[in-house]
Amino acid sequence: MTMFRRSLLALAVLGAHTMASALTAADFGKVYEGAGTAVDLNNASQVLVRDAATFTVVDTTSGARNTVGLSAELTQAGYTTLTANDLSNSGYVTGFVGNASGSTPFVWSAASGFRLIPTGFGGLFVNDSGVTVGASGTWSPATGATTTLSI
């Protein structure tokens, strides 16, 4: 997808969300200008921005930013990539860290930090309670349990 089409998609998503504060297309552009690609926004006026090695959750109301990259522990474990995919209304982020062997899903929040989760049970979507969805099912941070889904 070209950068122009991604920008149009981002603007369409922005228009589709009901936000507590009214953001304009210009405001949205300022959030991620030079910082990466905006991939999601939530109803709490937060935008998820990612680049090749980090992701940032930007609060467009206060201007606060949380930037997360590969920690020394993850780097020592051989992970070389970090891709954030989804941002919940309560600030949870899910995505994947990758290495030569493949990828492992993660969930992150400002309160709980970064956590690797079982392969297949996260990385794609996350809800407001931090429950993640992957190709095989769901994972809950409250219990650590996985639930297999079949469609």
Side-chain angles (χ1 to χ4, degrees):
M1 182 180 295
T2 67
M3 182 58 114
F4 177 74
R5 289 184 69 203
R6 269 189 246 136
S7 295
L8 287 178
L9 176 62
L11 290 174
V13 169
L14 177 64
H17 279 74
T18 303
M19 307 271 297
S21 63
L23 294 176
T24 66
D27 293 330
F28 193 64
K30 288 178 198 170
V31 168
Y32 71 92
E33 186 175 322
T37 302
V39 293
D40 201 2
L41 77 122
N42 65 19
N43 291 334
S45 299
Q46 296 172 322
V47 178
L48 175 61
V49 180
R50 72 176 179 208
D51 66 17
T54 66
F55 68 84
T56 303
V57 176
V58 181
D59 185 317
T60 61
T61 305
S62 69
R65 294 171 178 251
N66 282 309
T67 299
V68 178
L70 288 171
S71 67
E73 181 181 17
L74 289 171
T75 303
Q76 289 171 357
Y79 292 105
T80 57
T81 62
L82 173 68
T83 305
N85 292 324
D86 193 34
L87 170 66
S88 75
N89 289 327
S90 58
Y92 284 97
V93 174
T94 193
F96 296 94
V97 291
N99 59 25
S101 301
S103 61
T104 302
F106 72 84
V107 66
W108 173 90
S109 74
S112 302
F114 196 92
R115 194 165 171 188
L116 295 177
I117 53 181
T119 300
F121 294 92
L124 300 177
F125 304 101
V126 63
N127 73 12
D128 293 343
S129 299
V131 174
T132 60
V133 178
S136 300
T138 64
W139 174 85
S140 170
T143 64
T146 58
T147 302
T148 303
L149 300 176
S150 61
I151 298 174

